Amino acid sequence: ADKKAKKAEKKMKQEKKAADKKAKKEQKKADKKAKEQKKAADKKAKKEKKIAAEKAEKEKKVAAEKKRIAAEKAEKEKQAKAEQLKKEKDAAAAKLAAEKQAAAAKAQKLKDAEAALKSLEAKKKNAVSLEKQEAAEIKKEEKEIVAAAAKLAALKK
């Protein structure tokens, strides 16, 4: 019986040793699998982080481009408004200059007309004065003729 017990004990020891060995092997296998899974998960997380960073960078670039385009558009609108105001200002200045020129021309015509009127009045006075002078000369000549006729009549007697 002692021999049997020893044999059974030896068998149990061997089974325990085999079970321990098997458990150790399985534990090692499980550890290796867990390590691989962790590595794969880390790799996946790293890849997702990289993708997220790239996406964020892309969105940042898109936002910057949109901002730049909006700024360009605002600048173009500002320039167009400034040009429009300049055109309106130039047109108003040109209109004012034309009106000033027209007023100056009108004033000059008026001056010319007044000068022409004065000239005509002077000519009229001159003509009236000449008429009076001629009338006086005619009267003088008529007197001379009457005097000559009287002399002639006196001589005939």
Side-chain angles (χ1 to χ4, degrees):
D2 219 19
K3 226 179 188 181
K4 246 186 184 177
K6 262 190 177 177
K7 211 176 192 183
E9 203 179 309
K10 197 179 180 185
K11 197 177 183 187
M12 262 178 61
K13 261 188 181 177
Q14 279 181 335
E15 282 176 3
K16 187 183 181 292
K17 203 177 177 185
D20 283 350
K21 199 177 180 181
K22 194 177 180 187
K24 200 175 179 184
K25 199 177 181 182
E26 283 178 9
Q27 183 64 45
K28 207 175 182 184
K29 205 176 182 182
D31 287 350
K32 192 178 179 185
K33 195 174 183 183
K35 197 176 178 184
E36 283 176 2
Q37 284 178 340
K38 186 185 181 300
K39 197 177 176 184
D42 287 350
K43 196 175 179 182
K44 189 177 178 187
K46 193 177 177 184
K47 193 176 182 183
E48 286 174 357
K49 190 178 175 186
K50 187 181 175 187
I51 288 171
E54 285 174 355
K55 189 177 177 189
E57 187 62 31
K58 213 177 211 178
E59 286 173 356
K60 192 176 162 188
K61 279 183 183 175
V62 167
E65 184 64 13
K66 280 183 181 175
K67 189 178 175 186
R68 186 188 66 77
I69 289 169
E72 272 182 14
K73 188 178 175 189
E75 184 60 31
K76 278 182 185 171
E77 286 174 359
K78 187 176 150 189
Q79 282 181 345
K81 226 175 203 174
E83 284 176 18
Q84 182 61 34
L85 284 173
K86 188 182 183 301
K87 278 182 188 172
E88 288 173 8
K89 185 181 166 191
D90 290 350
K95 187 178 177 188
L96 184 66
E99 287 173 358
K100 275 185 181 177
Q101 200 174 353
K106 207 172 186 181
Q108 188 59 47
K109 273 187 183 175
L110 190 64
K111 267 187 181 176
D112 292 348
E114 285 174 349
L117 185 66
K118 279 184 183 174
S119 172
L120 285 174
E121 284 174 351
K123 280 182 183 175
K124 184 179 169 190
K125 273 186 185 176
N126 199 16
V128 168
S129 159
L130 283 174
E131 270 182 31
K132 282 182 182 175
Q133 204 177 341
E134 278 181 24
E137 281 180 19
I138 290 171
K139 277 185 182 175
K140 188 179 168 190
E141 285 176 6
E142 282 177 355
K143 279 183 184 175
E144 285 175 5
I145 291 171
V146 169
K151 267 187 185 178
L152 189 67
L155 287 175
K156 278 185 179 177
K157 280 186 185 174

